[in-house]
Amino acid sequence: MIIMGEKYNKFSKYFVAIDCVIFGYVDDDLKLLLYHRGFEPAKGQWSLMGGFVGEEESSDTAARRILKNITGLDDIYLEQVQAFTNPDRDSEDRVISLTYFALIRIDKHKADKVKENGAHWWSLKALPNLVFDHKEMVDKALEKLQIKAGLELVGSELLPDQFTLLQLRKLYEAIFQKELDTGNFRKKVLSLKVLQRLDERNTTESRRGAYYFKFIDGAKDKSFERIVKI
Amino acid sequence: MIIMGEKYNKFSKYFVAIDCVIFGYVDDDLKLLLYHRGFEPAKGQWSLMGGFVGEEESSDTAARRILKNITGLDDIYLEQVQAFTNPDRDSEDRVISLTYFALIRIDKHKADKVKENGAHWWSLKALPNLVFDHKEMVDKALEKLQIKAGLELVGSELLPDQFTLLQLRKLYEAIFQKELDTGNFRKKVLSLKVLQRLDERNTTESRRGAYYFKFIDGAKDKSFERIVKI
DNA sequence: CCAAAAGTGTTTATAATACACCCATGG
DNA sequence: CCATGGGTGTATTATAAACACTTTTGG
C-alpha cells in the first residue's frame, strides 16, 4: 500500500454520511432525538438523524447543517465520536458514517420543526431498536459525553439559562446513570467557581425553594478538574 | 437533509484514506515513523503512512493491513483518532482521511522493510514539516496517547519484554513531555500490580544496576486508575 | 407536624506531592 | 571517593467519600 502511484484513480470512492447522536435533557431525563425513517433502506424503523457530506463542506459543517435543519439552532455543541466503516454496515451501497454527538437545549429548539420531520425525543433509559449499527454509535457517544462531563461542567449546553443545583445534579445522575451525593456534588461544583448564584429562587421543585444559578460568562473550562470519577 | 429520497444516487462519493500516526520508543525518545513521499501530490515531502480503504475491508482492517506492510507486525495497538474532512485538505481529488494512532515495538519490527519504503523514525521533539494537515493529526494523536497512558500503563506496546523502571519512567516523561518524580512514579506504578519484578538486573544504565520488570500476563487493564494527571 | 429538598458541616480514607536519605558501584 | 541512578520512607497537603444534622415550607 505504500507505493500508491501518482493518481488515486484505481481506488474506490464511497458515500460519506453523518449520523448525529443528539442529546437533550428535560423532565430530569436524558433524551435522544431519533426519527422514523420514511425511506428505504430500513424504512419505518428508528434511526439517528443523518445526512451526507456535500462536495463543498467538511463533515463538521455538514453536521451543523443537518442539526440546524432539524432543530433550527446555530450554536450547538458538537463533537466527533468515531467513524463506522464496516463494509456491510448499511445496505448494498457502501456508506462510511462519521458519527457526531450533539448537546441540545430542548427549551430553545424548534419543537414544531422536529415534529414535522417525524422525529421524537426518546428517554435514554428506554430506547427503541435502532437500525444498522446506530445502537453502537449511541453507546460510544454516551462514553464520550461521560468523559466530557467528567472533566468540565456541562449543563450550559443542556440546561436552561438558570437552573437549580438539584437540576444540575439530576443531569449528572442521568449522564452517569448513578446517584450522586447531594452535599459532595454541591461542594465540588461550587468549588469550580464557574457558577454564579442568582437572587431568584425556584419554589416549584421544593417546599423551601432553591436558588437559581447560572454559568459565569467566559469563566468556563479554566477548571478541567475531575468532577465525576469515570 | 432529512428527506433523503429512496436512493443515495444524487450524493457524491469520496476517496477514503487512512493515515497512521505510528509511535515508537527507542533511546529514551518517543519517535514517529514518517516517510518520504515518492509520488505526487506533495512528492518529496514527509508524510504519515497511509493508504486507501479497500472495497471489502473496514477502516480498522485497512489500517492493520497498512501497518503490517510497513512493519511486518500483526499485533499492533491501534486506535481511531479522528476523521479529517476539509474539502481542500488534499489535492484536487476530495479525500477523507481517517486517522489512527499505532504503538510499535521498535525492537520487534522489520527495520529493513521500513528502510526500503523510504521511511524514517523521527524524534517527536524535532519533526520535519509535514504535508497537508498531517501535523494536526500528530497533535490529536498525541493527545489521545496521553489520555490512554494517563489511565492505564502503556509500555507493553512500546517497550521490550523486560525493562527497568527508569525506562518506563522515561517513556512516560516522553509521552507527557514533562519530568516525573522518581519515587512517586515508582510507587504509583507498582501499586497497580501489573508489573512483575524479575531476578535479572540491568547494569548498563546505572552503576548499581536495576531490576528488570515485565508485565504480568492478562493482569492489565483491571486498574483504570489515574497514572498521570492530565 | 411531616416529608422532601436545601444547605452546611464534620469525619475518615485515600491519593498526590515534595523531598530526604541511604545503597551500590564503575570510573 | 564521588557522581549517578536505585530504591525506600515520611511528612504534608489535597481530594474523595460517607454521612449527620439543621433549615424551610406546602400540604
Coordinates of all heavy atoms in Angstrom, one line a residue, chain A residues 41-86:
Chain A
P41 N -33.2 2.3 2.7 CA -33.4 1.1 3.4 C -33.9 1.3 4.8 O -33.7 2.4 5.3 CB -32.1 0.4 3.3 CG -31.1 1.5 3.2 CD -31.8 2.6 2.5
A42 N -34.4 0.3 5.4 CA -34.9 0.3 6.8 C -36.0 1.3 7.0 O -36.1 1.9 8.1 CB -33.7 0.6 7.7
K43 N -36.8 1.4 6.0 CA -38.0 2.3 6.2 C -38.9 1.9 7.3 O -39.1 0.8 7.5 CB -38.8 2.3 4.8 CG -40.0 3.2 4.8 CD -40.6 3.2 3.4 CE -41.9 4.0 3.4 NZ -42.5 4.1 2.1
G44 N -39.3 2.9 8.1 CA -40.2 2.7 9.2 C -39.6 2.4 10.5 O -40.2 2.4 11.5
Q45 N -38.3 2.1 10.5 CA -37.6 1.9 11.7 C -37.0 3.2 12.3 O -37.0 4.2 11.6 CB -36.4 0.9 11.5 CG -36.9 -0.5 11.1 CD -35.7 -1.4 11.0 OE1 -35.3 -1.8 9.9 NE2 -35.2 -1.9 12.1
W46 N -36.5 3.1 13.5 CA -36.0 4.3 14.2 C -34.5 4.4 13.9 O -33.8 3.4 13.9 CB -36.2 4.3 15.7 CG -37.7 4.5 16.0 CD1 -38.6 3.5 16.2 CD2 -38.4 5.7 16.1 NE1 -39.8 4.0 16.4 CE2 -39.7 5.4 16.4 CE3 -38.0 7.1 16.0 CZ2 -40.7 6.4 16.6 CZ3 -39.0 8.1 16.2 CH2 -40.3 7.7 16.5
S47 N -34.0 5.6 13.7 CA -32.6 5.8 13.4 C -32.1 7.2 13.9 O -32.9 8.0 14.3 CB -32.3 5.7 11.9 OG -32.5 6.9 11.3
L48 N -30.8 7.3 13.9 CA -30.3 8.6 14.3 C -30.5 9.6 13.1 O -30.8 9.2 12.0 CB -28.7 8.5 14.5 CG -28.3 7.6 15.7 CD1 -26.8 7.4 15.6 CD2 -28.7 8.3 17.0
M49 N -30.4 10.9 13.4 CA -30.5 11.9 12.4 C -29.2 11.8 11.5 O -28.1 11.7 12.1 CB -30.6 13.3 13.0 CG -31.8 13.4 13.9 SD -33.2 13.5 12.8 CE -34.5 13.7 14.1
G50 N -29.4 11.9 10.3 CA -28.2 11.9 9.4 C -28.4 12.6 8.1 O -29.3 13.3 7.9
G51 N -27.3 12.5 7.3 CA -27.3 13.1 6.0 C -26.0 12.8 5.4 O -25.2 12.0 5.9
F52 N -25.7 13.4 4.2 CA -24.5 13.1 3.6 C -23.6 14.4 3.5 O -24.1 15.5 3.6 CB -24.7 12.6 2.1 CG -25.3 11.2 2.1 CD1 -26.6 10.9 2.2 CD2 -24.4 10.1 2.1 CE1 -27.1 9.6 2.3 CE2 -24.8 8.8 2.1 CZ -26.2 8.6 2.2
V53 N -22.3 14.1 3.4 CA -21.4 15.3 3.3 C -21.4 15.8 1.9 O -21.1 15.0 1.0 CB -20.0 14.8 3.8 CG1 -19.0 16.0 3.6 CG2 -20.0 14.3 5.2
G54 N -21.7 17.1 1.8 CA -21.7 17.7 0.4 C -20.3 18.0 -0.1 O -19.3 17.9 0.6
E55 N -20.3 18.3 -1.4 CA -19.0 18.4 -2.0 C -18.2 19.6 -1.5 O -16.9 19.6 -1.6 CB -19.1 18.6 -3.5 CG -19.8 17.3 -4.1 CD -19.6 17.2 -5.6 OE1 -19.0 18.1 -6.2 OE2 -20.1 16.2 -6.2
E56 N -18.8 20.6 -1.0 CA -18.1 21.9 -0.6 C -18.0 22.0 0.9 O -17.7 23.1 1.3 CB -18.9 23.1 -1.2 CG -19.1 23.0 -2.7 CD -17.8 23.1 -3.5 OE1 -16.8 23.6 -3.0 OE2 -17.7 22.5 -4.6
E57 N -18.3 21.0 1.6 CA -18.3 21.2 3.1 C -17.5 20.1 3.8 O -17.4 19.0 3.3 CB -19.8 21.2 3.6 CG -20.5 19.9 3.3 CD -22.0 19.9 3.8 OE1 -22.4 20.9 4.3 OE2 -22.6 18.8 3.6
S58 N -17.0 20.5 5.0 CA -16.3 19.5 5.8 C -17.4 18.7 6.5 O -18.6 19.1 6.5 CB -15.4 20.2 6.8 OG -16.2 20.9 7.8
S59 N -17.0 17.6 7.2 CA -18.0 16.9 7.9 C -18.6 17.7 9.1 O -19.8 17.6 9.4 CB -17.4 15.5 8.4 OG -16.3 15.8 9.2
D60 N -17.8 18.5 9.7 CA -18.3 19.4 10.8 C -19.4 20.3 10.3 O -20.4 20.4 10.9 CB -17.1 20.2 11.4 CG -16.2 19.4 12.3 OD1 -16.1 18.2 12.1 OD2 -15.6 20.0 13.2
T61 N -19.1 20.9 9.1 CA -20.1 21.8 8.5 C -21.3 21.0 8.2 O -22.5 21.5 8.4 CB -19.5 22.4 7.3 OG1 -18.2 23.0 7.6 CG2 -20.4 23.5 6.8
A62 N -21.2 19.9 7.7 CA -22.3 19.0 7.3 C -23.2 18.7 8.5 O -24.4 18.8 8.5 CB -21.9 17.8 6.6
A63 N -22.5 18.4 9.6 CA -23.2 18.0 10.8 C -24.0 19.3 11.4 O -25.1 19.2 11.8 CB -22.2 17.6 11.9
R64 N -23.3 20.4 11.3 CA -24.0 21.6 11.7 C -25.2 22.0 10.8 O -26.3 22.4 11.3 CB -23.1 22.8 11.7 CG -22.2 22.9 12.9 CD -21.4 24.1 13.1 NE -20.3 23.7 14.0 CZ -20.6 23.5 15.3 NH1 -21.8 23.6 15.8 NH2 -19.6 23.1 16.1
R65 N -25.1 21.7 9.6 CA -26.2 22.0 8.6 C -27.4 21.1 9.0 O -28.5 21.5 9.0 CB -25.7 21.7 7.2 CG -26.8 21.7 6.1 CD -26.3 21.6 4.7 NE -25.4 20.4 4.5 CZ -25.8 19.1 4.5 NH1 -27.1 18.8 4.6 NH2 -25.0 18.1 4.3
I66 N -27.1 19.8 9.2 CA -28.1 18.8 9.5 C -28.8 19.2 10.8 O -30.1 19.2 10.8 CB -27.5 17.4 9.6 CG1 -27.1 17.0 8.2 CG2 -28.5 16.5 10.2 CD1 -26.1 15.8 8.2
L67 N -28.0 19.6 11.8 CA -28.6 19.9 13.1 C -29.5 21.2 13.0 O -30.5 21.3 13.6 CB -27.5 20.1 14.1 CG -27.0 18.8 14.6 CD1 -25.7 19.0 15.4 CD2 -28.0 18.0 15.5
K68 N -29.0 22.1 12.2 CA -29.7 23.4 12.0 C -31.1 23.1 11.3 O -32.1 23.6 11.7 CB -28.9 24.3 11.1 CG -29.6 25.5 10.6 CD -29.4 26.8 11.4 CE -30.2 27.9 10.8 NZ -29.9 29.2 11.5
N69 N -31.1 22.2 10.4 CA -32.3 21.9 9.7 C -33.3 21.2 10.6 O -34.5 21.5 10.5 CB -32.0 20.9 8.5 CG -31.6 21.6 7.3 OD1 -31.9 22.8 7.1 ND2 -30.9 20.9 6.4
I70 N -32.8 20.4 11.5 CA -33.7 19.7 12.4 C -34.2 20.6 13.6 O -35.4 20.6 13.9 CB -33.0 18.5 13.0 CG1 -32.7 17.5 11.8 CG2 -33.9 17.8 14.0 CD1 -31.7 16.5 12.2
T71 N -33.3 21.3 14.2 CA -33.6 22.0 15.4 C -33.8 23.5 15.3 O -34.3 24.2 16.2 CB -32.5 21.8 16.4 OG1 -31.3 22.4 16.0 CG2 -32.3 20.3 16.7
G72 N -33.3 24.1 14.2 CA -33.4 25.5 14.0 C -32.3 26.2 14.8 O -32.2 27.4 14.8
L73 N -31.4 25.5 15.4 CA -30.3 26.1 16.2 C -29.0 26.2 15.5 O -28.6 25.3 14.7 CB -30.2 25.3 17.5 CG -31.4 25.2 18.4 CD1 -31.1 24.3 19.6 CD2 -31.7 26.6 18.9
D74 N -28.3 27.3 15.8 CA -27.0 27.5 15.2 C -25.8 27.1 16.1 O -24.8 26.6 15.7 CB -26.8 29.0 14.9 CG -27.3 29.3 13.5 OD1 -27.0 28.6 12.6 OD2 -28.0 30.3 13.4
D75 N -26.0 27.4 17.4 CA -24.9 27.3 18.3 C -25.0 26.0 19.1 O -25.2 26.0 20.3 CB -24.8 28.5 19.3 CG -26.2 28.6 20.0 OD1 -27.2 28.1 19.5 OD2 -26.2 29.1 21.2
I76 N -24.7 24.9 18.5 CA -24.9 23.6 19.1 C -23.5 23.0 19.4 O -22.6 23.1 18.6 CB -25.6 22.7 18.1 CG1 -27.1 23.1 18.1 CG2 -25.5 21.2 18.6 CD1 -27.9 22.3 17.1
Y77 N -23.4 22.5 20.6 CA -22.1 21.8 20.9 C -22.1 20.5 20.2 O -23.0 19.7 20.2 CB -22.0 21.5 22.4 CG -20.7 20.8 22.7 CD1 -19.6 21.6 22.9 CD2 -20.6 19.5 22.8 CE1 -18.4 21.0 23.2 CE2 -19.4 18.8 23.0 CZ -18.3 19.6 23.2 OH -17.1 19.0 23.4
L78 N -20.9 20.3 19.5 CA -20.8 19.2 18.6 C -19.4 18.6 18.8 O -18.4 19.3 19.0 CB -20.9 19.7 17.2 CG -21.4 18.9 16.1 CD1 -22.7 18.3 16.4 CD2 -21.4 19.7 14.8
E79 N -19.3 17.3 18.8 CA -18.0 16.6 18.9 C -18.0 15.3 18.1 O -19.0 14.6 18.0 CB -17.8 16.2 20.4 CG -16.4 16.0 20.8 CD -16.3 15.8 22.3 OE1 -16.7 16.7 23.1 OE2 -15.8 14.8 22.8
Q80 N -16.9 15.1 17.4 CA -16.8 13.9 16.6 C -16.7 12.7 17.5 O -15.9 12.7 18.5 CB -15.6 14.0 15.7 CG -15.8 13.7 14.2 CD -14.6 13.6 13.4 OE1 -14.0 12.5 13.3 NE2 -14.2 14.7 12.8
V81 N -17.4 11.6 17.2 CA -17.3 10.4 18.0 C -16.3 9.4 17.4 O -15.3 9.1 17.9 CB -18.7 9.8 18.2 CG1 -18.6 8.5 19.0 CG2 -19.6 10.7 19.0
Q82 N -16.7 9.0 16.2 CA -15.9 7.9 15.6 C -16.4 7.7 14.2 O -17.6 8.0 13.9 CB -16.0 6.7 16.5 CG -15.1 5.6 16.1 CD -15.5 4.3 16.8 OE1 -15.5 4.2 18.0 NE2 -15.8 3.3 16.0
A83 N -15.6 7.1 13.4 CA -16.0 6.6 12.1 C -16.5 5.2 12.1 O -15.9 4.4 12.8 CB -14.9 6.8 11.0
F84 N -17.6 4.9 11.5 CA -18.1 3.5 11.4 C -18.0 3.1 10.0 O -18.6 3.7 9.1 CB -19.5 3.4 12.0 CG -19.6 3.5 13.5 CD1 -19.5 4.7 14.1 CD2 -19.6 2.4 14.3 CE1 -19.6 4.8 15.5 CE2 -19.7 2.5 15.6 CZ -19.6 3.7 16.3
T85 N -17.3 2.0 9.8 CA -16.9 1.7 8.4 C -17.0 0.3 7.9 O -16.4 0.0 6.9 CB -15.4 2.1 8.2 OG1 -14.6 1.3 9.1 CG2 -15.1 3.6 8.6
N86 N -17.7 -0.5 8.7 CA -17.8 -1.9 8.2 C -18.4 -1.9 6.8 O -19.3 -1.2 6.5 CB -18.7 -2.7 9.1 CG -17.9 -3.3 10.3 OD1 -16.7 -3.3 10.3 ND2 -18.6 -3.7 11.3

